[in-house]
């Protein structure tokens, strides 16, 4: 996959030995003048009966060669009359026609602005009508299945322009690592289709998120990683990779050139920057030379072909010989002929500049720059690319994992579209689980991308840049019957399909549909981030993130529609007029908003004007109108290396990896029984911590980094603090003892044996001291584990340790990860063990984490609802630190997925009080977050202040 750290590979070097002369360049221009690329595409009539035909030099397959020559530069596209087709080439006989009635239809047309009310008729694998169903047409179908959408949003299926599904499969197994070849820097002849596993669990999961089509790219280890193939995710009768292909290019079965029809688009992966450099132990200069060398090879062959063809077409067969071709380079030659959509993993200005230069040197175009974290800083450069500006395929907020990504901005989609560039949101699955690709569009929308372009960014725009906008990405008559019926407006948090059709076939057997409140049936009114965008551009992508303390003891928040606060281990609603039938609502539907007065970071008065203001308002107090916004508890983040690195993949910007005392040869660490403390490695003012702070995550709990057995001691800190020695920066030096019971070497059973020994509390040094505290129930033991089998062993181990404790005392165990915990929820509840679900929405990443409870629409229960049913204390974690800022949205998403089983206040507890309890944090985080125009947990609110009793004031954002 693309953005996990790649192995460094020293064994293979790029093929750079070619000494082909670049003086050829001049010749190219000359040749192009003589034989323009389209010369023999026109209706050249070749007279085979001329005098040459009787000459022995005319080959018997002359007509075939000429046909091939004519076909060389035919640009790809759908066959003539494709738009009039009555049946899809992918139609599965027996599929019943479907009439979806009373839908709110987003068609993708008019730049994503068209919305129709009405019906959609699907039959023979295609869309038959959109809007008002044609009565005459309807009468043709006897067995039509009618679905009442009850006004629900309907869109075309989601198209993922960048996925590794099937080549980087779930569960990940060593036998199925088919993403990257390490056999050379430029490998245009490789094909992702050749590695496509048909048993990837992700097909089903991503369909349940509305994804119907995905472009399966080779990885980014190489400059040219190979050819990509676009597939439909649904299972096929044939059960083969080939049958999943959306539109097989003719070259696939060697019919290229033999067919008079137009060829289909091909797709190819390119990558610049850090990945090829890391893998081949090279530099950007090496990678760029590898590109030029490969393109020069292809260019020369193309010139040879064109010269050959111009002679053949003119009947000059003498000494012409065989048509010059080369199976290794034909795909790259096709790039030069404009018949391949090039997908270029490319991040930084330096790399983008290199590639734009390359396109102009060799005259080819790039369909999209992917990842492309600095594109928003250089829009004018992109416009200079040969053949027009590439589209930009982005993550919404996944950034800062390496230098290339350090300046990634959540505002990039907005800035790029403001510059007239096309934006696609993509998953890089499994880097992001493409089941939730729509969430990327939702976030892009939240951070400024317009509604119509946000929806287009995962539906119509990717379909267009892949070259398939004649059949997918839009709801048009004759298009593939790939559609999704949503349970809310698709840009609302947690939007989930009620049903997904691919080629007209319903994909969800018994979908579990949650009822969503009516306010979620319209698009969220997102904040205005004009100021933030301006600062982002002014600071070259690194706007200052520090916050400033209000210069007044008293801060008055006016026009507040809800207030939630912490009360011990609970979250309490003080008032919430947005809740149906809430006390604050007058009978006439008028919201009775309230003022909230804060003094020195403490809420001192809640009420209407007369009650509070009289007492506290002074000429110097700061007044903030929240415009019906809200105040709610600040959140806690756990699970990622938050504050242990600035840039994950850079050693010098990092605390580094910890030493595993079980396996390391330097386990002595200059003394007996060492234990690593995260507090000793804390880095402050990392951008992810500050972005978290600005999104209401004011406390982080971080354990030492590493997937190893004994990890060490976690610590709790203030994510907004400037440095470790500042006031209240470290909130608790040591919170819990962390271990991992993950499949590795040595075996899990070996790790358990060591754990059993350690829990006797007889070891030396810190190791002995802290395991003794665990064994006596003084601090929690936090265990990274997914497998239900290993969790079962942990339950038994806990019983063993508890049996040694007197006076009813018990140890405190917390499981982290816990994809499979739901399988033994009852036993976990009975053992009094807590669970931090991480990730919050499960993905079957490997064998030991694969038995997930997926949640709606695939299951009614989620892990959170089921565990809670058995009285398990549940928290939510994040895997990577950039996700800290989105914790606020996880709250609402988890509540919505629970279908009312987890209330809003309970959902807030999952990332506040519960995490504190599960991780041994003794003091509750009493900070509050003031949000304008919405809540912390929706796509409407904008955080404007952190109310902190700890810092005795209000920090303004
Ligand atoms: C469509 O559905 C909405 C929402 O359920 C309902 O209010 C409306 O009456 C329906 N319209 C038709 C034409 O059935
Ligand atoms: C090759 O594939 C194309 C497109 O699917 C198809 O039309 C053609 O019949 C195939 N040719 C052979 C020889 O299989
Ligand atoms: C509260 O905010 C809303 C939304 O901006 C505004 O319409 C209303 O006038 C405000 N009310 C007061 C009392 O400021
Ligand atoms: C959960 O706790 C409640 C309250 O203490 C109790 O009534 C209920 O029986 C418990 N449920 C289970 C499954 O243990």
């Amino acid at each position: 996959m693309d953005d996990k750290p790649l192995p460094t590979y020293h064994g293979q070097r790029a093929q750079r030995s070619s000494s082909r002369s670049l003086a050829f360049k001049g010749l190219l221009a000359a040749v192009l003048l003589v034989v323009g690329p389209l010369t023999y595409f026109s209706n050249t009539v070749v007279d085979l009966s001329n005098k040459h035909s009787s000459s022995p030099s005319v080959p018997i397959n002359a007509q075939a060669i000429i046909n091939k020559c004519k076909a060389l530069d035919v640009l790809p596209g759908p066959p003539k009359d494709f738009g009039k087709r009555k049946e899809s080439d992918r139609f599965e006989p027996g599929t019943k026609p479907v009439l979806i009635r009373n839908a709110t239809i987003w068609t993708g047309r008019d730049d994503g602005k068209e919305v129709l009310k009405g019906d959609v008729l699907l039959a023979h694998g295609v869309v038959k009508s959109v809007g008002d169903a044609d009565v005459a047409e309807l009468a043709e179908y006897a067995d039509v299945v009618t679905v009442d959408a009850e006004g629900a949003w309907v869109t075309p299926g989601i198209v993922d322009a960048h996925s590794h599904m099937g080549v980087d499969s779930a569960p990940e197994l060593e036998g199925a690592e088919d993403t990257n070849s390490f056999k050379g820097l430029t490998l245009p002849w490789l094909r992702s289709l050749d590695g496509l596993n048909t048993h990837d669990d992700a097909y089903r999961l991503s369909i349940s998120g509305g994804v119907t089509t995905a472009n399966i790219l080779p990885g980014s280890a190489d400059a040219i990683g190979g050819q990509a193939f676009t597939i439909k995710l649904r299972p096929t009768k044939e059960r083969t990779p080939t049958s999943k292909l959306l539109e097989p290019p003719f070259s696939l079965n060697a019919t290229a050139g033999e067919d008079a029809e137009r060829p289909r688009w091909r797709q190819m992966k390119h990558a610049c920057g850090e990945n090829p450099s890391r893998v081949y132990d090279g530099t950007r200069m090496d990678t760029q030379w590898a590109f030029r060398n490969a393109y020069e090879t292809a260019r020369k062959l193309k010139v040879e072909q064109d010269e050959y063809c111009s002679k053949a077409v003119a009947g000059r067969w003498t000494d012409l010989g065989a048509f010059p071709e080369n199976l290794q380079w034909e795909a790259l030659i096709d790039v030069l002929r404009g018949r391949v959509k090039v997908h270029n993993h490319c991040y930084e200005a330096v790399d983008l500049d290199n590639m734009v230069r390359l396109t102009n040197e060799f005259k080819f175009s790039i369909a999209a720059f992917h990842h492309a974290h600095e594109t928003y800083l250089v829009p004018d450069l992109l416009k200079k690319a040969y053949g027009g500006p590439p589209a930009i395929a982005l993550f919404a907020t996944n950034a800062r994992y390496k230098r290339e990504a350090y300046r990634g901005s959540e505002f990039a989609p907005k800035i790029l579209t403001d510059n007239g560039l096309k934006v696609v949101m993509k998953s890089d699955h499994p880097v992001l689980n493409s089941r939730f690709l729509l969430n990327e569009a939702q976030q892009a929308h939240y951070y400024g991308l317009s509604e119509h372009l946000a929806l287009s960014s995962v539906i119509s725009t990717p379909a267009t840049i892949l070259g398939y906008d004649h059949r997918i990405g839009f709801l048009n008559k004759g298009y593939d019957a790939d559609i999704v019926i949503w349970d809310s407006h698709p840009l609302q948090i947690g939007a989930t399909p009620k049903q997904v059709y691919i080629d007209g076939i319903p994909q969800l057997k018994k979908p579990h549909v949650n009822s969503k409140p009516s306010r979620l049936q319209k698009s969220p009114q997102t904040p205005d981030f004009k100021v933030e965008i301006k600062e982002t551009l002014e600071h070259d992508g690194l706007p200052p993130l520090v916050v400033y303390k209000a210069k007044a003891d008293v801060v008055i928040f006016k026009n507040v529609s809800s207030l939630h606060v912490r009360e011990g281990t609970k979250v309490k609603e003080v008032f919430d007029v947005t809740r149906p039938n809430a006390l604050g609502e007058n009978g006439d539907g008028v919201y009775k908003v309230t003022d909230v007065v804060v003094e020195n970071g403490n809420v001192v008065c809640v009420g209407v004007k007369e009650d509070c203001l009289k007492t506290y308002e002074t000429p110097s107090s700061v007044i903030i109108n929240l415009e019906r916004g809200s105040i709610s508890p600040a959140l806690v983040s756990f699970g990622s290396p938050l504050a242990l690195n600035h840039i994950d993949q850079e050693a010098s910007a990092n605390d580094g990896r910890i030493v595993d005392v079980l396996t390391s040869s330097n386990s002595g660490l200059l003394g007996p029984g060492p234990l690593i403390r995260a507090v000793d490695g804390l880095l402050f003012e990392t951008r992810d911590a500050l972005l978290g702070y600005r999104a209401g995550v004011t406390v982080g709990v971080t354990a030492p980094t590493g997937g190893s057995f004994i990890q060490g001691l976690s610590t709790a800190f203030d994510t907004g603090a400037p440095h470790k020695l500042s006031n209240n920066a470290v909130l608790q030096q040591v919170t819990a003892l962390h271990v991992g019971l993950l499949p590795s070497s040595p075996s899990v059973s070996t790790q358990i044996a060591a754990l059993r020994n350690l829990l006797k509390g007889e070891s030396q040094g810190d190791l002995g001291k802290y395991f003794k505290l665990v064994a006596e129930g003084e601090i929690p033991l936090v265990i990274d584990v997914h497998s239900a089998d290993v969790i079962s062993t942990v339950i038994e181990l806990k019983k063993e340790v508890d049996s040694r404790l007197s006076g009813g005392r018990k140890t405190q165990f917390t499981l982290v990860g816990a994809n499979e915990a739901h399988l033994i929820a009852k036993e976990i509840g009975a053992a009094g063990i807590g669970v931090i679900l991480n990730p919050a929405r499960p993905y079957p990443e490997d064998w030991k984490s694969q038995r997930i409870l997926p949640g709606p629409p695939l299951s009614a229960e989620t892990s959170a609802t089921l565990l809670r049913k058995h009285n398990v204390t549940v928290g939510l974690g994040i895997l990577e630190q950039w996700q800290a800022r989105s914790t606020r949205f996880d709250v609402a998403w988890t509540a919505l997925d629970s279908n009312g089983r987890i209330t809003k206040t309970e959902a807030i507890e999952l990332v506040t009080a519960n995490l504190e309890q599960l991780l041994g944090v003794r003091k509750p985080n009493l900070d509050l977050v003031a949000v304008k125009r919405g809540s912390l947990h929706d796509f409407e609110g904008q955080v404007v202040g952190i109310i902190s009793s700890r810092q005795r004031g209000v920090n303004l954002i």
Side-chain angles (χ1 to χ4, degrees):
M1 70 189 74
D2 272 355
D3 282 304
K4 291 215 170 152
L6 284 158
T8 306
Y9 193 79
H10 300 273
Q12 301 281 343
R13 290 262 167 186
Q15 301 171 3
R16 325 178 166 148
S17 53
S18 169
S19 57
R20 287 184 174 88
S21 160
L22 287 178
F24 220 90
K25 241 163 56 182
L27 184 59
L28 168 69
V31 169
L32 282 177
L33 279 179
V34 180
V35 222
L38 295 179
T39 312
Y40 30 80
F41 161 44
S42 52
N43 297 321
T44 322
V45 178
V46 180
D47 183 4
L48 287 178
S49 66
N50 68 15
K51 62 183 163 59
H52 295 289
S53 66
S54 56
S55 133
S57 60
V58 178
I60 46 172
N61 62 340
Q63 188 60 56
I65 293 174
I66 283 161
N67 289 349
K68 184 178 196 125
C69 284
K70 280 204 231 171
L72 280 183
D73 284 301
V74 180
L75 288 176
K80 268 197 307 301
D81 300 334
F82 184 86
K84 294 186 193 141
R85 69 186 177 149
K86 296 269 179 276
E87 181 173 300
S88 171
D89 49 342
R90 300 185 48 83
F91 177 57
E92 296 262 13
T95 308
K96 287 194 175 155
V98 178
L99 176 67
I100 298 159
R101 284 230 179 260
N102 191 13
T104 305
I105 310 161
W106 183 87
T107 63
R109 296 190 291 231
D110 189 17
D111 212 14
K113 288 179 193 143
E114 184 183 65
V115 175
L116 306 173
K117 294 269 181 187
D119 313 324
V120 182
L121 177 61
L122 313 176
H124 296 292
V126 297
V127 174
K128 290 289 176 183
S129 66
V130 182
D132 293 323
D134 181 335
V135 182
E137 176 125 53
L138 204 50
E140 284 178 34
Y141 308 108
D143 51 351
V144 66
V145 178
T146 303
V147 176
D148 183 359
E150 297 175 338
W153 284 90
V154 163
T155 67
I158 290 175
V159 178
D160 191 353
H162 186 144
S163 175
H164 303 290
M165 200 178 290
V167 292
D168 193 346
S169 302
E172 192 165 59
L173 294 167
E174 281 166 37
E177 294 199 349
D178 288 306
T179 324
N180 287 297
S181 164
F182 296 104
K183 295 198 182 297
L185 255 175
T186 55
L187 307 168
W189 47 87
L190 300 186
R191 310 188 291 192
S192 65
L193 180 65
D194 294 333
L196 195 79
N197 170 17
T198 54
H199 307 295
D200 190 334
D201 282 357
Y203 295 124
R204 178 181 85 109
L205 295 170
S206 292
I207 288 171
S208 82
V211 183
T212 54
T213 302
N215 190 37
I216 310 303
L217 293 158
S220 51
D222 313 319
I224 302 182
Q227 298 159 44
F229 287 81
T230 307
I231 61 167
K232 293 252 188 124
L233 302 195
R234 75 168 169 90
T236 58
K237 281 217 171 79
E238 297 88 332
R239 306 176 199 252
T240 59
T242 306
S243 61
K244 291 182 104 67
L245 293 175
L246 171 63
E247 206 163 72
F250 290 165
S251 57
L252 194 62
N253 55 17
T255 57
E258 286 154 32
D259 199 309
E261 285 247 61
R262 301 170 75 185
R264 307 305 175 88
W265 282 106
R266 308 175 76 178
Q267 316 282 334
M268 192 184 286
K269 180 70 178 281
H270 285 13
C272 33
E274 292 190 28
N275 284 8
S277 292
R278 282 174 199 253
V279 171
Y280 293 93
D281 196 15
T283 64
R284 286 183 158 77
M285 297 185 289
D286 294 302
T287 302
Q288 214 54 29
W289 165 245
F291 270 124
R292 294 181 67 222
N293 194 25
Y295 269 99
E296 178 64 3
T297 305
R299 189 193 65 78
K300 279 184 174 171
L301 278 161
K302 175 178 179 287
V303 168
E304 278 176 39
Q305 290 179 349
D306 291 349
E307 284 176 343
Y308 180 100
C309 283
S310 73
K311 285 183 188 153
V313 168
R316 285 157 40 211
W317 294 104
T318 313
D319 299 330
L320 201 50
F323 179 78
E325 54 192 342
N326 182 318
L327 195 55
Q328 283 195 309
W329 296 102
E330 59 82 26
L332 205 58
I333 297 170
D334 252 6
V335 172
L336 296 176
R337 294 192 186 283
R339 311 206 298 177
V340 183
K341 300 286 189 181
V342 173
H343 298 278
N344 189 182
H345 160 123
C346 205
Y347 283 83
E348 282 189 275
V350 53
D351 300 310
L352 298 163
D353 195 46
N354 288 343
M355 292 310 293
V356 167
R357 228 184 294 116
L358 191 76
T359 64
N360 286 299
E361 181 178 357
F362 290 96
K363 310 269 181 279
F364 69 97
S365 70
I366 291 175
F369 282 127
H370 291 243
H371 303 305
H373 271 320
E374 290 193 6
T375 46
Y376 73 98
L377 295 172
V378 290
D380 293 334
L381 165 70
L382 306 177
K383 292 174 188 167
K384 291 181 186 153
Y386 183 84
I392 310 302
L394 298 164
F395 294 133
T397 48
N398 182 358
R400 294 170 292 285
Y401 39 87
K402 46 184 166 175
R403 186 189 91 171
E404 293 180 327
Y406 193 59
R407 288 163 201 265
S409 170
E410 63 275 33
F411 305 115
K414 158 85 176 154
I415 297 169
L416 287 162
T417 55
D418 282 353
N419 277 280
L421 294 158
K422 282 195 164 71
V423 165
V424 167
M425 304 309 293
K426 56 96 182 44
S427 73
D428 193 8
H429 178 100
V431 170
L432 300 185
N433 178 358
S434 67
R435 177 178 174 191
F436 305 120
L437 176 55
L438 184 60
N439 184 240
E440 295 301 289
Q442 292 164 357
Q443 292 177 74
H445 179 236
Y446 176 71
Y447 292 111
L449 184 61
S450 65
E451 176 182 348
H452 62 108
L453 294 179
L455 286 172
S456 301
S457 75
V458 287
I459 303 175
S460 316
T461 313
T464 304
I465 66 150
L466 290 168
Y468 303 125
D469 52 339
H470 55 283
R471 65 184 298 167
I472 59 170
F474 298 83
L475 281 181
N476 281 336
K477 191 178 161 95
Y479 274 47
D480 287 19
D482 299 350
I483 73 161
V484 186
I485 307 175
W486 297 98
D487 67 357
S488 72
H489 187 284
L491 293 177
Q492 285 287 1
I493 199 141
T496 301
K498 293 168 135 178
Q499 186 52 276
V500 179
Y501 297 86
I502 305 183
D503 301 318
I505 307 167
Q507 297 295 311
L508 303 173
K509 296 286 173 275
K510 280 188 189 163
H512 294 277
V513 178
N514 289 347
S515 70
K516 296 277 173 83
S518 59
R519 71 185 156 81
L520 297 183
Q521 298 305 331
K522 55 184 190 7
S523 167
Q525 298 295 304
T526 57
D528 183 351
F529 289 109
K530 244 189 233 106
V531 174
E532 287 81 355
I533 288 172
K534 187 165 161 276
E535 291 203 338
T536 299
L537 290 172
E538 269 171 18
H539 291 85
D540 228 6
L542 300 176
L545 299 174
V546 289
V547 294
Y548 298 95
K549 202 163 171 179
K551 287 192 188 71
D553 295 340
V554 173
V555 179
I556 300 168
F557 294 95
K558 291 193 162 184
N559 207 350
V560 185
S561 67
S562 75
L563 172 65
H564 291 78
V565 296
R566 286 291 301 275
E567 206 171 64
T569 61
K570 294 279 159 208
V571 170
K572 193 182 102 182
E573 175 191 306
V574 179
F575 66 90
D576 185 352
V577 301
T578 65
R579 201 157 50 75
N581 308 317
L583 285 176
E585 193 179 353
N586 297 334
D588 53 7
V590 176
Y591 290 132
K592 193 176 141 198
V593 293
T594 287
D595 299 333
V596 174
V597 180
V598 170
E599 189 180 38
N600 295 324
N602 293 299
V603 173
V604 289
C605 187
V606 176
V608 284
K609 217 170 168 130
E610 305 77 52
D611 312 327
C612 290
L613 298 193
K614 248 194 303 190
T615 325
Y616 291 97
E617 192 174 11
T618 68
S620 66
S621 45
V622 171
I623 296 176
I624 298 171
N625 190 333
L626 289 188
E627 299 174 37
R628 288 204 191 128
S630 67
I631 297 176
S632 61
L635 312 176
V636 177
S637 179
F638 170 73
S640 76
L642 189 66
L644 284 182
N645 63 52
H646 291 271
I647 304 177
D648 189 52
Q649 295 175 34
E650 282 296 335
S652 69
N654 214 313
D655 179 49
R657 295 270 142 184
I658 62 170
V659 166
D660 188 334
V661 292
L662 192 62
T663 54
S664 167
S665 56
N666 40 3
S667 63
L669 280 179
L670 311 179
L675 204 52
I676 293 148
R677 299 178 187 210
V679 69
D680 295 333
L682 282 184
L683 304 168
F684 284 82
E685 291 196 348
T686 67
R687 296 190 74 80
D688 285 313
L690 293 177
L691 287 166
Y693 188 86
R694 297 166 72 94
V697 175
T698 67
V699 170
V701 179
T702 295
T705 303
S708 52
F709 172 50
I710 297 196
Q711 296 166 356
L713 301 168
S714 52
T715 186
F717 56 93
D718 187 320
T719 55
H723 58 82
K724 192 194 276 180
L725 305 178
S726 63
N727 182 33
N728 280 325
V730 175
L731 301 168
Q732 191 176 324
Q733 295 268 338
V734 170
T735 52
L737 177 53
H738 293 248
V739 300
L741 293 177
L742 298 169
S744 68
S745 172
S747 72
V748 172
S749 46
T750 309
Q751 296 170 30
I752 296 280
L755 197 54
R756 181 177 286 121
N757 254 339
L758 288 164
L759 284 167
K760 290 181 183 145
E762 293 161 359
S763 306
Q764 291 182 300
D766 267 1
L767 196 65
K769 175 179 159 190
Y770 284 97
F771 268 100
K772 193 151 192 277
L773 288 175
V774 167
E776 289 174 349
E778 298 293 328
I779 62 167
L781 181 68
V782 182
I783 306 166
D784 275 359
V785 61
H786 277 296
S787 149
D789 296 308
V790 182
I791 294 173
S792 303
T793 304
V794 167
I795 291 174
E796 290 185 332
L797 185 64
K798 183 175 190 299
K799 278 190 195 140
E800 210 177 298
V801 182
D802 284 352
S803 70
R804 295 197 291 264
L805 282 175
S806 57
R809 286 180 302 157
K810 287 207 153 64
T811 55
Q812 191 192 338
F813 280 23
T814 297
L815 312 175
V816 178
N819 269 6
E820 296 192 353
H822 67 95
L823 294 171
I824 46 172
K826 185 164 162 253
E827 290 77 7
I828 292 172
I833 293 177
V835 169
I836 299 174
L837 297 168
N838 194 15
R841 288 164 296 281
Y843 179 74
E845 175 149 5
D846 62 15
W847 192 267
K848 299 212 174 183
S849 63
Q850 66 177 312
R851 291 177 291 173
I852 64 169
L853 183 59
L858 296 175
S859 66
E861 298 277 357
T862 63
S863 285
T865 61
L866 196 66
L867 288 164
R868 283 168 47 87
K869 209 185 250 179
H870 293 281
N871 286 346
V872 176
T873 303
V874 174
L876 304 178
I878 57 168
L879 288 171
E880 295 175 28
Q881 60 270 24
W882 55 269
Q883 296 167 313
R885 69 184 310 171
S886 297
T887 307
R888 52 185 288 207
F889 304 126
D890 283 342
V891 169
W893 198 338
T894 306
L896 286 165
D897 273 355
S898 80
N899 209 18
R901 280 172 286 219
I902 300 175
T903 65
K904 181 172 170 178
T905 54
E906 287 168 342
I908 298 172
E909 284 165 8
L910 301 178
V911 283
T912 54
N914 292 11
L915 278 185
E916 289 164 0
Q917 187 196 327
L918 293 165
L919 294 165
V921 178
R922 287 186 293 266
K923 273 198 208 135
N925 180 14
L926 297 178
D927 289 350
L928 295 170
V929 190
V931 178
K932 220 175 206 172
R933 284 190 213 100
S935 89
L936 186 59
H937 318 295
D938 62 30
F939 284 136
E940 306 201 331
Q942 182 172 23
V943 177
V944 293
I946 303 290
I947 302 164
S948 179
S949 57
R950 215 165 49 223
Q951 305 291 352
R952 295 186 55 78
V954 175
N955 283 326
L956 301 177
I957 288 164

